[in-house]
Amino acid sequence: MKNLTPPPADTAHEAGLAALPAELATDSGLAKLPAAMQRLEFISLRAIMELFSSSGALTPESVGRGSEEIINTLGAACRHHWLVRRWLVALVEREFLRLSNGNYSWEQIPESAVGADKLPEAYGALGFPPEMAESHQKLLTHLSELVRDQVSINQLLFENGEILTALAAYQNNWFTTYLNYAAASIVKQAVKPGPMLRVLELGGGAGLTTAAILDTLAGRPINYRFTDISPLFTTAAQKKFRNHIGLRCSLLDINADFTAQSIPAASTDIVVAGNVLHNAAHIGQTLQRIRRSLVTGGWLLFSESTRENHAMLTAMQFLLSPAKSEPLLGSEDRRGGTDQVFIDSTAWQEELVKAGFEVKCFLPASTSPLSVAGQTLFFAIAV
């Protein structure tokens, strides 16, 4: 890895675009994405406003109310208080609510044209399978029960035990396809004559990042270790990728010492992580564990949410609420006291440098329509 020249960002960007449908991977095709994402986010925010109004937590006629009064009137479960506060922040950002002297009041009523019946159209335009719109529709129908913990997101999404199907629907869209194949193209540059490349994937989940990388490296010798915290995913990956020589699956917790989990120091050339590092209890400590596992000059490729997607505030964000008596993710790192689970690109770059990495690039560019989802691919080298 020491003598390997990192590929230019343009090469990875073009590879990501090439994985998209031809009609989408054009300036005019990409230009349609922001409007579709805005429509999807407005549907989510409108549902929150309707819940506030129907519960009496905050109505158009209400005088200003503080967040604690809104939360208490809503009847939100303690572990979801952080999420309701993020709802309020999002509504102020989109100018549906105003915040003055710590009190929230209505600014405007969201347009009726962005109702939940528009979910299939909005999700379809963003490349999600139909199952995602169906799942989100179900969650919106039960939003009041979800926030009060009268029903769990697991019960609604995984009622038939189809966890892999549900998560794959969430992860399968134009934005993650672009990022996965951009990452795969960078890994491809590392496969040169010589010792076999050692790749460690963290939080492999439904295996979409894995599939993109293995597809790009078809026929090339590679030592690929797929890991996840749940045996559900490692077992499924073992079956799904059973024909790929050199791939093995094992459990790994990103919040525990890697060496104790059979990942020795300096034993890996490339670490890959698709939308999982926000689950770190302490981002800096997890990045340090990753750095220790890499050889000097080794590569870290990971995708992450670098802004809060307002559509997910009424969907997958419920999965991030801590269990009773447990702290919210990031309570001991820079996220502590902010209610924020996701950090922005600048913060990620700062954390990477502190952990011993040199950031080479991140994609997509902030000016690209693909950036509207707030999903970013980071490429850094261990120094």
Side-chain angles (χ1 to χ4, degrees):
M1 292 293 296
K2 290 182 179 179
N3 300 319
L4 195 60
T5 302
D10 287 349
T11 301
H13 173 67
E14 292 301 324
L17 288 181
L20 302 177
E23 66 274 13
L24 180 66
T26 62
D27 289 343
S28 60
L30 292 175
K32 298 176 182 178
L33 295 178
M37 179 58 73
Q38 185 179 64
R39 203 156 51 242
L40 187 59
E41 292 191 308
F42 275 11
I43 292 169
S44 179
L45 295 178
R46 179 181 173 81
I48 295 170
M49 293 286 278
E50 289 174 345
L51 176 58
F52 282 168
S53 182
S54 65
S55 66
L58 191 65
T59 69
E61 298 78 24
S62 301
V63 295
R65 284 184 167 180
S67 60
E68 290 308 306
E69 185 178 2
I70 292 170
I71 287 170
N72 291 335
T73 305
L74 184 60
C78 288
R79 70 190 193 98
H80 296 314
H81 284 191
W82 75 276
L83 183 54
V84 178
R85 289 192 289 266
R86 295 312 301 168
W87 288 358
L88 292 167
V89 169
L91 289 166
V92 170
E93 288 177 355
R94 290 301 179 90
E95 299 182 345
F96 292 144
L97 295 182
R98 74 171 68 92
L99 174 62
S100 177
N101 298 321
N103 290 322
Y104 296 88
S105 57
W106 284 54
E107 181 74 28
Q108 62 172 309
I109 299 175
E111 57 181 296
S112 60
V114 292
D117 61 318
K118 301 292 184 182
L119 279 172
E121 176 187 345
Y123 272 116
L126 299 172
F128 287 88
E131 293 82 3
M132 188 60 193
E134 294 169 7
S135 295
H136 201 169
Q137 178 83 60
K138 184 185 297 184
L139 296 176
L140 292 183
T141 301
H142 296 277
L143 192 57
S144 61
E145 295 103 312
L146 280 166
V147 77
R148 293 166 184 149
D149 254 358
Q150 294 168 341
V151 66
S152 74
I153 187 171
N154 288 350
Q155 288 173 292
L156 295 176
L157 290 189
F158 314 138
E159 58 183 348
N160 297 318
E162 296 294 334
I163 298 179
L164 281 171
T165 302
L167 290 182
Y170 165 58
Q171 296 170 359
N172 189 8
N173 54 75
W174 301 142
F175 306 102
T176 54
T177 296
Y178 163 82
L179 295 177
N180 285 338
Y181 278 90
S185 75
I186 294 176
V187 175
K188 184 178 181 180
Q189 307 305 310
V191 180
K192 305 293 182 184
M196 186 175 293
L197 192 71
R198 299 164 297 178
V199 180
L200 170 65
E201 182 175 359
L202 305 175
L208 298 182
T209 301
T210 320
I213 293 176
L214 294 177
D215 182 48
T216 304
L217 299 177
R220 299 183 181 215
I222 189 170
N223 182 340
Y224 197 109
R225 184 165 177 175
F226 175 105
T227 69
D228 198 279
I229 195 171
S230 169
L232 173 72
F233 298 117
T234 54
T235 301
Q238 191 72 60
K239 180 179 179 180
K240 181 177 181 179
F241 302 116
R242 61 185 179 276
N243 294 326
H244 290 272
I245 298 174
L247 182 138
R248 58 196 175 105
C249 301
S250 61
L251 299 177
L252 188 140
D253 181 357
I254 64 171
N255 291 316
D257 179 64
F258 282 16
T259 303
Q261 300 178 84
S262 302
I263 306 291
S267 65
T268 305
D269 298 311
I270 296 180
V271 171
V272 175
N275 202 29
V276 68
L277 295 186
H278 63 268
N279 288 301
H282 191 290
I283 285 173
Q285 291 176 6
T286 291
L287 287 176
Q288 290 168 13
R289 294 184 188 105
I290 293 171
R291 172 60 189 91
R292 285 193 291 270
S293 74
L294 284 163
V295 297
T296 299
W299 293 359
L300 169 60
L301 283 157
F302 69 97
S303 58
E304 259 304 332
S305 294
T306 50
R307 81 162 181 85
E308 196 166 61
N309 186 312
H310 295 160
M312 293 300 103
L313 285 171
T314 55
M316 294 302 182
Q317 298 284 71
F318 279 100
L319 290 171
L320 302 179
S321 288
K324 292 178 181 178
S325 77
E326 291 188 1
L328 181 65
L329 289 172
S331 60
E332 296 183 3
D333 62 23
R334 68 191 300 153
R335 296 170 290 177
T338 68
D339 291 324
Q340 292 179 304
V341 173
F342 306 108
I343 61 176
D344 63 21
S345 294
T346 299
W348 272 114
Q349 291 177 77
E350 292 171 355
E351 292 290 345
L352 285 163
V353 170
K354 285 194 295 185
F357 289 95
E358 178 185 354
V359 181
K360 303 308 280 188
C361 73
F362 59 91
L363 293 170
S366 59
T367 54
S368 169
L370 285 163
S371 68
V372 71
Q375 291 285 318
T376 304
L377 172 67
F378 293 88
F379 174 32
I381 293 181
V383 294

